[in-house]
Amino acid sequence: MNLRLDPCSPIGVFDSGVGGLTVVRALMERLPFESIHYFGDTARVPYGIKSVQTIAHYTTQITEFLLARQVKLLIIACNTMAAVSAQVVRDLSPAPVLDVIEAGALTALSASQNLRIGVIGTPTTINSNAYARAIHAVEPRARLTSQACALFVPLVEEGWLEHPVTRLTAQEYLRPVLTEGVDTLVLGCTHYPLIKPLLQDVTGPGVTLVDSADAMAERAAALLTDMNLHSPRHAAPQYHYWITDVPLRFQAIGERFLGRGLGNVHVVGL
Ligand code: DGL
């Protein structure tokens, strides 16, 4: 492991767009003294329907950008990038790398009693089978039911968090998953934590929803402890948000994901 990592350095977090701010929000709550540089590729989102080659190329550019900011830890907040390009990031990074799929898979396994686990995500994430691989690597007896939910990302971005259309869509997507008797459902996409109450209504109370944002914050805290990398400064941390475009309603959507005001937003080209 690289011995030059500086505990005062920021944590780098990235996503295809603003959705990864759900992970930043969980990190801010769990690690209130850590500075964070967030990168959201708002010009090129959504990734969830793009090819593996394109996603790997974009992921390389973002990783290089954040490494140039001397981050001490890199967090892949995007399930789609984690599903198909986590190795690209690990090969490039001298800093440790965490990804939401690992975090979600381990949390699902500790939550499930009957080892029947449902996973929902973008088409690319589900087609990659990354959650199944991560879960089976630890528990080969687990039975997985996966469902691509392409419509959830646009519905969340539209702000239809409680809308009847979102409820109907969720009922349709989750029907085959619930038929399999799952007791745990992994929300395998940055956007889904925002419709968690609606999803819980549809699944009923017998199904535990695993939110990878919370799971990730716990894993990040544990890693900083193991590596002695917690910030020694107990002053207000700095948050920077790097984005590649300012889309319509960016501020409103971003603040909904983050749960607070967006401060230092910088627009960059890659
Ligand atoms: N960030 C993506 C994910 O978690 C969702 C948005 C996209 O498709 O780019 O899978």
mmCIF file of all heavy atoms in Angstrom, residues 14-20 38 41 44-50 77-83 100 121-125 150 153-154 157 187-192 212, ligand 1:
data_model
loop_
_atom_site.group_PDB
_atom_site.id
_atom_site.type_symbol
_atom_site.label_atom_id
_atom_site.label_comp_id
_atom_site.label_asym_id
_atom_site.label_seq_id
_atom_site.Cartn_x
_atom_site.Cartn_y
_atom_site.Cartn_z
ATOM 1 N N PHE A 14 -17.131 9.377 -7.013
ATOM 2 C CA PHE A 14 -17.619 9.715 -8.350
ATOM 3 C C PHE A 14 -18.798 8.874 -8.800
ATOM 4 O O PHE A 14 -19.032 7.771 -8.330
ATOM 5 C CB PHE A 14 -16.494 9.693 -9.375
ATOM 6 C CG PHE A 14 -15.820 8.367 -9.586
ATOM 7 C CD1 PHE A 14 -16.199 7.543 -10.633
ATOM 8 C CD2 PHE A 14 -14.794 7.964 -8.760
ATOM 9 C CE1 PHE A 14 -15.556 6.332 -10.862
ATOM 10 C CE2 PHE A 14 -14.145 6.754 -8.974
ATOM 11 C CZ PHE A 14 -14.532 5.938 -10.024
ATOM 12 N N ASP A 15 -19.504 9.493 -9.751
ATOM 13 C CA ASP A 15 -20.721 8.882 -10.290
ATOM 14 C C ASP A 15 -20.919 9.399 -11.707
ATOM 15 O O ASP A 15 -20.291 10.377 -12.131
ATOM 16 C CB ASP A 15 -21.921 9.283 -9.411
ATOM 17 C CG ASP A 15 -23.228 8.712 -9.937
ATOM 18 O OD1 ASP A 15 -23.233 7.555 -10.391
ATOM 19 O OD2 ASP A 15 -24.250 9.425 -9.910
ATOM 20 N N SER A 16 -21.850 8.763 -12.408
ATOM 21 C CA SER A 16 -22.176 9.207 -13.765
ATOM 22 C C SER A 16 -22.914 10.553 -13.762
ATOM 23 O O SER A 16 -22.955 11.229 -14.775
ATOM 24 C CB SER A 16 -23.056 8.153 -14.435
ATOM 25 O OG SER A 16 -24.169 7.866 -13.623
ATOM 26 N N GLY A 17 -23.503 10.927 -12.650
ATOM 27 C CA GLY A 17 -24.263 12.186 -12.618
ATOM 28 C C GLY A 17 -24.414 12.682 -11.198
ATOM 29 O O GLY A 17 -23.442 12.672 -10.433
ATOM 30 N N VAL A 18 -25.609 13.108 -10.846
ATOM 31 C CA VAL A 18 -25.818 13.628 -9.493
ATOM 32 C C VAL A 18 -26.222 12.543 -8.493
ATOM 33 O O VAL A 18 -26.194 12.763 -7.288
ATOM 34 C CB VAL A 18 -26.894 14.745 -9.449
ATOM 35 C CG1 VAL A 18 -26.389 16.011 -10.083
ATOM 36 C CG2 VAL A 18 -28.187 14.300 -10.094
ATOM 37 N N GLY A 19 -26.609 11.359 -8.992
ATOM 38 C CA GLY A 19 -27.129 10.306 -8.109
ATOM 39 C C GLY A 19 -26.171 9.925 -6.992
ATOM 40 O O GLY A 19 -26.595 9.614 -5.879
ATOM 41 N N GLY A 20 -24.869 9.973 -7.274
ATOM 42 C CA GLY A 20 -23.869 9.588 -6.276
ATOM 43 C C GLY A 20 -23.845 10.515 -5.069
ATOM 44 O O GLY A 20 -23.195 10.228 -4.059
ATOM 45 N N TYR A 38 -16.269 15.530 -5.143
ATOM 46 C CA TYR A 38 -17.249 14.701 -5.855
ATOM 47 C C TYR A 38 -17.166 15.000 -7.345
ATOM 48 O O TYR A 38 -17.099 16.165 -7.749
ATOM 49 C CB TYR A 38 -18.659 15.044 -5.351
ATOM 50 C CG TYR A 38 -19.736 14.272 -6.083
ATOM 51 C CD1 TYR A 38 -19.988 12.945 -5.765
ATOM 52 C CD2 TYR A 38 -20.483 14.861 -7.111
ATOM 53 C CE1 TYR A 38 -20.958 12.220 -6.443
ATOM 54 C CE2 TYR A 38 -21.446 14.140 -7.796
ATOM 55 C CZ TYR A 38 -21.677 12.828 -7.451
ATOM 56 O OH TYR A 38 -22.633 12.109 -8.122
ATOM 57 N N ASP A 41 -20.511 13.084 -13.835
ATOM 58 C CA ASP A 41 -20.374 13.298 -15.280
ATOM 59 C C ASP A 41 -21.719 13.667 -15.907
ATOM 60 O O ASP A 41 -22.272 12.955 -16.748
ATOM 61 C CB ASP A 41 -19.795 12.025 -15.921
ATOM 62 C CG ASP A 41 -19.257 12.281 -17.317
ATOM 63 O OD1 ASP A 41 -19.317 13.441 -17.787
ATOM 64 O OD2 ASP A 41 -18.791 11.313 -17.942
ATOM 65 N N ARG A 44 -22.644 13.397 -19.641
ATOM 66 C CA ARG A 44 -22.722 12.123 -20.366
ATOM 67 C C ARG A 44 -23.655 11.101 -19.710
ATOM 68 O O ARG A 44 -23.791 9.986 -20.197
ATOM 69 C CB ARG A 44 -21.313 11.548 -20.533
ATOM 70 C CG ARG A 44 -20.407 12.519 -21.300
ATOM 71 C CD ARG A 44 -19.081 11.932 -21.666
ATOM 72 N NE ARG A 44 -18.195 11.704 -20.543
ATOM 73 C CZ ARG A 44 -16.874 11.559 -20.645
ATOM 74 N NH1 ARG A 44 -16.308 11.635 -21.838
ATOM 75 N NH2 ARG A 44 -16.137 11.343 -19.579
ATOM 76 N N VAL A 45 -24.261 11.476 -18.569
ATOM 77 C CA VAL A 45 -25.210 10.594 -17.910
ATOM 78 C C VAL A 45 -26.423 10.399 -18.846
ATOM 79 O O VAL A 45 -26.737 11.323 -19.608
ATOM 80 C CB VAL A 45 -25.647 11.211 -16.551
ATOM 81 C CG1 VAL A 45 -26.516 12.451 -16.719
ATOM 82 C CG2 VAL A 45 -26.292 10.194 -15.638
ATOM 83 N N PRO A 46 -27.100 9.265 -18.902
ATOM 84 C CA PRO A 46 -26.922 8.074 -18.080
ATOM 85 C C PRO A 46 -25.899 7.093 -18.663
ATOM 86 O O PRO A 46 -25.765 6.962 -19.872
ATOM 87 C CB PRO A 46 -28.311 7.447 -18.093
ATOM 88 C CG PRO A 46 -28.873 7.802 -19.433
ATOM 89 C CD PRO A 46 -28.299 9.167 -19.760
ATOM 90 N N TYR A 47 -25.183 6.418 -17.771
ATOM 91 C CA TYR A 47 -24.238 5.375 -18.174
ATOM 92 C C TYR A 47 -24.935 4.008 -18.276
ATOM 93 O O TYR A 47 -24.447 3.116 -18.946
ATOM 94 C CB TYR A 47 -23.127 5.237 -17.131
ATOM 95 C CG TYR A 47 -22.030 6.275 -17.157
ATOM 96 C CD1 TYR A 47 -22.166 7.495 -17.796
ATOM 97 C CD2 TYR A 47 -20.824 6.008 -16.498
ATOM 98 C CE1 TYR A 47 -21.143 8.432 -17.782
ATOM 99 C CE2 TYR A 47 -19.790 6.934 -16.483
ATOM 100 C CZ TYR A 47 -19.953 8.145 -17.124
ATOM 101 O OH TYR A 47 -18.940 9.056 -17.104
ATOM 102 N N GLY A 48 -26.035 3.873 -17.542
ATOM 103 C CA GLY A 48 -26.662 2.559 -17.329
ATOM 104 C C GLY A 48 -27.153 1.865 -18.580
ATOM 105 O O GLY A 48 -27.520 0.698 -18.545
ATOM 106 N N ILE A 49 -27.150 2.587 -19.713
ATOM 107 C CA ILE A 49 -27.592 1.974 -20.966
ATOM 108 C C ILE A 49 -26.462 2.005 -21.997
ATOM 109 O O ILE A 49 -26.677 1.753 -23.172
ATOM 110 C CB ILE A 49 -28.843 2.711 -21.504
ATOM 111 C CG1 ILE A 49 -28.635 4.226 -21.438
ATOM 112 C CG2 ILE A 49 -30.080 2.341 -20.700
ATOM 113 C CD1 ILE A 49 -29.698 5.028 -22.152
ATOM 114 N N LYS A 50 -25.221 2.343 -21.548
ATOM 115 C CA LYS A 50 -24.098 2.437 -22.494
ATOM 116 C C LYS A 50 -23.266 1.150 -22.496
ATOM 117 O O LYS A 50 -23.403 0.303 -21.617
ATOM 118 C CB LYS A 50 -23.216 3.645 -22.138
ATOM 119 C CG LYS A 50 -23.919 4.978 -22.386
ATOM 120 C CD LYS A 50 -22.985 6.165 -22.297
ATOM 121 C CE LYS A 50 -23.614 7.434 -22.839
ATOM 122 N NZ LYS A 50 -24.693 7.993 -22.012
ATOM 123 N N ALA A 77 -19.173 5.501 -6.562
ATOM 124 C CA ALA A 77 -20.538 5.574 -6.039
ATOM 125 C C ALA A 77 -21.557 5.070 -7.053
ATOM 126 O O ALA A 77 -22.699 4.810 -6.703
ATOM 127 C CB ALA A 77 -20.865 7.015 -5.652
ATOM 128 N N CYS A 78 -21.136 4.963 -8.306
ATOM 129 C CA CYS A 78 -22.043 4.557 -9.378
ATOM 130 C C CYS A 78 -22.045 3.029 -9.505
ATOM 131 O O CYS A 78 -20.997 2.419 -9.730
ATOM 132 C CB CYS A 78 -21.563 5.178 -10.678
ATOM 133 S SG CYS A 78 -22.505 4.697 -12.122
ATOM 134 N N ASN A 79 -23.208 2.427 -9.368
ATOM 135 C CA ASN A 79 -23.293 0.968 -9.475
ATOM 136 C C ASN A 79 -22.893 0.491 -10.860
ATOM 137 O O ASN A 79 -22.266 -0.556 -11.010
ATOM 138 C CB ASN A 79 -24.723 0.510 -9.194
ATOM 139 C CG ASN A 79 -25.076 0.620 -7.735
ATOM 140 O OD1 ASN A 79 -25.061 -0.362 -7.011
ATOM 141 N ND2 ASN A 79 -25.381 1.824 -7.269
ATOM 142 N N THR A 80 -23.260 1.261 -11.883
ATOM 143 C CA THR A 80 -22.956 0.847 -13.257
ATOM 144 C C THR A 80 -21.444 0.824 -13.473
ATOM 145 O O THR A 80 -20.891 -0.140 -14.020
ATOM 146 C CB THR A 80 -23.657 1.795 -14.256
ATOM 147 O OG1 THR A 80 -25.063 1.779 -13.983
ATOM 148 C CG2 THR A 80 -23.402 1.381 -15.679
ATOM 149 N N MET A 81 -20.731 1.866 -13.050
ATOM 150 C CA MET A 81 -19.267 1.883 -13.199
ATOM 151 C C MET A 81 -18.634 0.786 -12.337
ATOM 152 O O MET A 81 -17.701 0.107 -12.771
ATOM 153 C CB MET A 81 -18.691 3.248 -12.820
ATOM 154 C CG MET A 81 -18.806 4.248 -13.944
ATOM 155 S SD MET A 81 -17.801 5.720 -13.660
ATOM 156 C CE MET A 81 -19.014 6.815 -12.985
ATOM 157 N N ALA A 82 -19.168 0.619 -11.132
ATOM 158 C CA ALA A 82 -18.617 -0.428 -10.257
ATOM 159 C C ALA A 82 -18.825 -1.801 -10.887
ATOM 160 O O ALA A 82 -17.972 -2.682 -10.794
ATOM 161 C CB ALA A 82 -19.290 -0.362 -8.887
ATOM 162 N N ALA A 83 -19.952 -1.979 -11.569
ATOM 163 C CA ALA A 83 -20.283 -3.288 -12.147
ATOM 164 C C ALA A 83 -19.336 -3.663 -13.280
ATOM 165 O O ALA A 83 -18.950 -4.816 -13.407
ATOM 166 C CB ALA A 83 -21.726 -3.285 -12.645
ATOM 167 N N VAL A 100 -19.543 0.534 -4.547
ATOM 168 C CA VAL A 100 -20.863 0.309 -3.945
ATOM 169 C C VAL A 100 -21.339 -1.138 -4.071
ATOM 170 O O VAL A 100 -22.155 -1.577 -3.272
ATOM 171 C CB VAL A 100 -21.946 1.240 -4.548
ATOM 172 C CG1 VAL A 100 -21.990 2.553 -3.837
ATOM 173 C CG2 VAL A 100 -21.799 1.412 -6.033
ATOM 174 N N GLY A 121 -31.370 -2.741 -10.480
ATOM 175 C CA GLY A 121 -30.356 -1.784 -10.942
ATOM 176 C C GLY A 121 -30.605 -1.398 -12.385
ATOM 177 O O GLY A 121 -31.645 -1.749 -12.959
ATOM 178 N N THR A 122 -29.651 -0.700 -12.979
ATOM 179 C CA THR A 122 -29.777 -0.314 -14.393
ATOM 180 C C THR A 122 -29.561 -1.561 -15.261
ATOM 181 O O THR A 122 -28.984 -2.554 -14.796
ATOM 182 C CB THR A 122 -28.720 0.739 -14.785
ATOM 183 O OG1 THR A 122 -27.417 0.148 -14.666
ATOM 184 C CG2 THR A 122 -28.799 1.983 -13.926
ATOM 185 N N PRO A 123 -29.951 -1.520 -16.534
ATOM 186 C CA PRO A 123 -29.734 -2.676 -17.408
ATOM 187 C C PRO A 123 -28.262 -3.106 -17.461
ATOM 188 O O PRO A 123 -27.966 -4.311 -17.397
ATOM 189 C CB PRO A 123 -30.226 -2.177 -18.772
ATOM 190 C CG PRO A 123 -31.282 -1.154 -18.426
ATOM 191 C CD PRO A 123 -30.787 -0.477 -17.178
ATOM 192 N N THR A 124 -27.329 -2.159 -17.528
ATOM 193 C CA THR A 124 -25.909 -2.547 -17.601
ATOM 194 C C THR A 124 -25.460 -3.242 -16.317
ATOM 195 O O THR A 124 -24.740 -4.242 -16.355
ATOM 196 C CB THR A 124 -25.002 -1.315 -17.882
ATOM 197 O OG1 THR A 124 -25.452 -0.705 -19.081
ATOM 198 C CG2 THR A 124 -23.547 -1.699 -18.030
ATOM 199 N N THR A 125 -25.867 -2.726 -15.188
ATOM 200 C CA THR A 125 -25.502 -3.350 -13.907
ATOM 201 C C THR A 125 -26.066 -4.772 -13.827
ATOM 202 O O THR A 125 -25.347 -5.720 -13.482
ATOM 203 C CB THR A 125 -26.042 -2.509 -12.721
ATOM 204 O OG1 THR A 125 -25.420 -1.237 -12.771
ATOM 205 C CG2 THR A 125 -25.745 -3.167 -11.382
ATOM 206 N N ALA A 150 -35.031 0.073 -15.817
ATOM 207 C CA ALA A 150 -34.558 1.216 -16.611
ATOM 208 C C ALA A 150 -35.347 2.507 -16.349
ATOM 209 O O ALA A 150 -34.805 3.602 -16.477
ATOM 210 C CB ALA A 150 -34.615 0.862 -18.095
ATOM 211 N N VAL A 153 -34.519 5.603 -13.046
ATOM 212 C CA VAL A 153 -33.623 6.779 -13.056
ATOM 213 C C VAL A 153 -34.357 8.023 -13.579
ATOM 214 O O VAL A 153 -34.394 9.057 -12.899
ATOM 215 C CB VAL A 153 -32.309 6.493 -13.840
ATOM 216 C CG1 VAL A 153 -31.548 7.776 -14.144
ATOM 217 C CG2 VAL A 153 -31.417 5.539 -13.041
ATOM 218 N N PRO A 154 -34.994 7.953 -14.762
ATOM 219 C CA PRO A 154 -35.724 9.151 -15.199
ATOM 220 C C PRO A 154 -36.864 9.555 -14.263
ATOM 221 O O PRO A 154 -37.113 10.760 -14.082
ATOM 222 C CB PRO A 154 -36.250 8.785 -16.592
ATOM 223 C CG PRO A 154 -35.948 7.353 -16.810
ATOM 224 C CD PRO A 154 -34.912 6.935 -15.822
ATOM 225 N N GLU A 157 -35.288 11.433 -11.400
ATOM 226 C CA GLU A 157 -34.783 12.750 -11.832
ATOM 227 C C GLU A 157 -35.943 13.713 -12.084
ATOM 228 O O GLU A 157 -35.794 14.923 -11.954
ATOM 229 C CB GLU A 157 -33.901 12.593 -13.069
ATOM 230 C CG GLU A 157 -32.702 11.721 -12.727
ATOM 231 C CD GLU A 157 -31.411 12.136 -13.364
ATOM 232 O OE1 GLU A 157 -31.450 12.879 -14.346
ATOM 233 O OE2 GLU A 157 -30.353 11.702 -12.857
ATOM 234 N N LEU A 187 -30.828 -2.202 -3.349
ATOM 235 C CA LEU A 187 -31.114 -1.060 -4.223
ATOM 236 C C LEU A 187 -29.814 -0.752 -4.970
ATOM 237 O O LEU A 187 -28.992 0.042 -4.512
ATOM 238 C CB LEU A 187 -31.580 0.144 -3.403
ATOM 239 C CG LEU A 187 -32.722 -0.109 -2.407
ATOM 240 C CD1 LEU A 187 -33.189 1.192 -1.768
ATOM 241 C CD2 LEU A 187 -33.886 -0.813 -3.080
ATOM 242 N N GLY A 188 -29.626 -1.424 -6.106
ATOM 243 C CA GLY A 188 -28.337 -1.392 -6.800
ATOM 244 C C GLY A 188 -28.178 -0.257 -7.779
ATOM 245 O O GLY A 188 -27.685 -0.440 -8.896
ATOM 246 N N CYS A 189 -28.560 0.941 -7.375
ATOM 247 C CA CYS A 189 -28.419 2.119 -8.235
ATOM 248 C C CYS A 189 -28.459 3.343 -7.339
ATOM 249 O O CYS A 189 -29.224 3.387 -6.365
ATOM 250 C CB CYS A 189 -29.571 2.159 -9.242
ATOM 251 S SG CYS A 189 -29.612 3.647 -10.246
ATOM 252 N N THR A 190 -27.623 4.325 -7.688
ATOM 253 C CA THR A 190 -27.532 5.555 -6.887
ATOM 254 C C THR A 190 -28.872 6.247 -6.671
ATOM 255 O O THR A 190 -29.063 6.931 -5.670
ATOM 256 C CB THR A 190 -26.643 6.569 -7.630
ATOM 257 O OG1 THR A 190 -27.054 6.602 -9.004
ATOM 258 C CG2 THR A 190 -25.195 6.205 -7.534
ATOM 259 N N HIS A 191 -29.789 6.098 -7.629
ATOM 260 C CA HIS A 191 -31.038 6.856 -7.557
ATOM 261 C C HIS A 191 -32.096 6.230 -6.652
ATOM 262 O O HIS A 191 -33.013 6.904 -6.207
ATOM 263 C CB HIS A 191 -31.628 7.001 -8.959
ATOM 264 C CG HIS A 191 -30.890 7.953 -9.840
ATOM 265 N ND1 HIS A 191 -29.543 7.844 -10.090
ATOM 266 C CD2 HIS A 191 -31.314 9.031 -10.546
ATOM 267 C CE1 HIS A 191 -29.173 8.813 -10.906
ATOM 268 N NE2 HIS A 191 -30.227 9.546 -11.202
ATOM 269 N N TYR A 192 -31.979 4.945 -6.392
ATOM 270 C CA TYR A 192 -33.083 4.259 -5.730
ATOM 271 C C TYR A 192 -33.301 4.622 -4.251
ATOM 272 O O TYR A 192 -34.438 4.540 -3.774
ATOM 273 C CB TYR A 192 -32.959 2.731 -5.890
ATOM 274 C CG TYR A 192 -32.898 2.236 -7.321
ATOM 275 C CD1 TYR A 192 -32.626 0.901 -7.619
ATOM 276 C CD2 TYR A 192 -33.095 3.094 -8.408
ATOM 277 C CE1 TYR A 192 -32.561 0.438 -8.929
ATOM 278 C CE2 TYR A 192 -33.018 2.635 -9.718
ATOM 279 C CZ TYR A 192 -32.756 1.312 -9.975
ATOM 280 O OH TYR A 192 -32.687 0.859 -11.262
ATOM 281 N N SER A 212 -27.154 0.991 -0.652
ATOM 282 C CA SER A 212 -25.693 0.887 -0.706
ATOM 283 C C SER A 212 -24.987 2.158 -0.232
ATOM 284 O O SER A 212 -23.807 2.130 0.091
ATOM 285 C CB SER A 212 -25.210 0.450 -2.090
ATOM 286 O OG SER A 212 -25.993 0.983 -3.102
HETATM 287 N N1 DGL B 1 -25.328 6.125 -11.354
HETATM 288 C C1 DGL B 1 -25.998 5.068 -12.085
HETATM 289 C C2 DGL B 1 -26.003 3.794 -11.226
HETATM 290 O O1 DGL B 1 -25.856 3.820 -10.022
HETATM 291 C C3 DGL B 1 -27.410 5.447 -12.459
HETATM 292 C C4 DGL B 1 -27.491 6.538 -13.507
HETATM 293 C C5 DGL B 1 -26.905 6.120 -14.852
HETATM 294 O O2 DGL B 1 -27.493 5.277 -15.535
HETATM 295 O O3 DGL B 1 -25.851 6.654 -15.190
HETATM 296 O O4 DGL B 1 -26.159 2.728 -11.777
#
